[in-house]
Amino acid sequence: MDDESRVTRRRVGDAEARRANRGWWDADADAYQAEHAAFLGEVDFVWCPEGLRETDARLLGDVAGRRVLEVGCGAAACARWLATQGARAVAFDLSAGMLRHAAHAAATTGVRVPLVQADALALPFADGAFDTACTAFGAVPFVDDSAALMAEVFRVLRPGGRWVFSVTHPMRWIFLDDPGEGGLTAVHSYFDRSPYVEQDETGEATYVEQHRTLGDRIRELVGAGFRLVDLLEPEWPAGHEGTWGQWSPLRGRLFPGTAIFVTDKPAN
């Protein structure tokens, strides 16, 4: 199987997607941190490659004294930042490799939060255990049944709790993952929900990323019981000349790369 045939779009079940993504993030954790740690920081909350920070956006509101869950935390820089703001933060991830980096960063910074290895579709937390849940590109794009993920987050939030998450903007699915001019031509249907899949020589998935339209995401949220408060599409800031994968100044100045959903669980 050549390199081109190892990238495809096909239906992937939950078990294969979980196995692929846990293996990929475990294997790639060191390289990912080496490439992105300087941008993300060790104790900081960066929502997206556009550089929007929670210290400026305040999408979570006042977190002091609140129980906050970081979903798909990676190295848990966001949870550590939340802890410095007075939150009682907990962070979880499927990948032991990423949690290893989270533990190392806790030791080097002295900012410690509980770390849990868990599956976002089966959260090991009680109903109403948290006041707030959040993730910056964690978990949501990587699970087969993201509607079930929304329902799980809804379950562990108290009434009145807030759920905020950022994902790749769905319109990016139309284009190739190319930060240059090759990424400016539409080549895929926005309405094709087939996952992006990288696979090995046997055809077994090694990385899986799911696509949902904006409408899909809203229906998942409403179906779980959430109320949509806001939908942000951060603009590419002037002076930001960095690239992150397919994010770049060229593309960022033309169309959005990130969507941030701000929701809450009704109090009644």
Side-chain angles (χ1 to χ4, degrees):
M1 183 180 291
D2 58 28
D3 289 343
E4 185 175 347
S5 64
R6 291 189 183 186
V7 176
T8 186
R9 295 195 178 197
R10 65 173 173 84
R11 183 77 173 85
V12 177
D14 178 61
E16 185 180 6
R18 182 187 296 107
R19 183 168 58 251
N21 286 329
R22 178 174 178 176
W24 192 89
W25 285 105
D26 282 349
D28 194 63
D30 292 350
Y32 180 88
Q33 286 301 111
E35 182 175 0
H36 299 300
F39 182 83
L40 294 173
E42 289 191 307
V43 184
D44 202 354
F45 198 134
V46 183
W47 279 109
C48 52
E50 290 84 354
L52 181 68
R53 282 171 161 74
E54 176 60 11
T55 189
D56 300 313
R58 294 294 176 182
L59 302 181
L60 303 179
D62 184 4
V63 297
R66 295 187 176 273
R67 302 161 297 172
V68 183
L69 178 65
E70 185 181 3
V71 175
C73 66
C78 298
R80 287 190 295 277
W81 180 86
L82 289 164
T84 67
Q85 306 303 300
R88 292 181 285 159
V90 175
F92 84 85
D93 202 278
L94 182 65
S95 167
M98 294 305 295
L99 290 173
R100 173 169 49 82
H101 281 278
H104 176 73
T108 58
T109 64
V111 182
R112 300 181 182 277
V113 299
L115 301 174
V116 180
Q117 186 173 15
D119 183 344
L121 299 182
L123 298 179
F125 307 111
D127 296 358
F130 297 95
D131 301 298
T132 305
C134 58
T135 187
F137 283 78
V140 176
F142 303 110
V143 300
D144 174 60
D145 191 351
S146 46
L149 183 153
M150 302 302 172
E152 270 293 88
V153 174
F154 187 88
R155 178 184 65 80
V156 302
L157 281 178
R158 65 163 178 81
R162 176 158 286 201
W163 165 224
V164 184
F165 63 93
S166 59
V167 292
T168 301
H169 197 288
M171 77 167 292
R172 286 288 175 106
W173 200 252
I174 302 169
F175 305 97
L176 297 176
D177 282 350
D178 183 340
E181 292 189 0
L184 300 181
T185 303
V187 295
H188 298 295
S189 169
Y190 176 76
F191 302 104
D192 181 3
R193 277 80 163 182
S194 302
Y196 168 88
V197 180
E198 296 177 9
Q199 52 194 20
D200 63 20
E201 61 279 359
T202 71
E204 181 74 10
T206 58
Y207 177 88
V208 179
E209 191 164 341
Q210 308 282 343
H211 169 55
R212 303 289 184 271
T213 67
L214 283 174
D216 292 338
R217 288 284 178 230
I218 291 171
R219 282 185 289 276
E220 289 177 349
L221 288 162
V222 173
F226 286 106
R227 181 178 70 97
L228 182 65
V229 175
D230 200 358
L231 172 58
L232 284 77
E233 300 164 295
E235 295 186 36
W236 194 267
H240 181 11
E241 297 302 321
T243 61
W244 177 315
Q246 48 99 350
W247 279 267
S248 66
L250 173 66
R251 283 155 60 91
R253 289 166 187 152
L254 294 173
F255 49 86
T258 298
I260 307 177
F261 294 81
V262 183
T263 76
D264 62 27
K265 178 175 180 175
N268 297 321

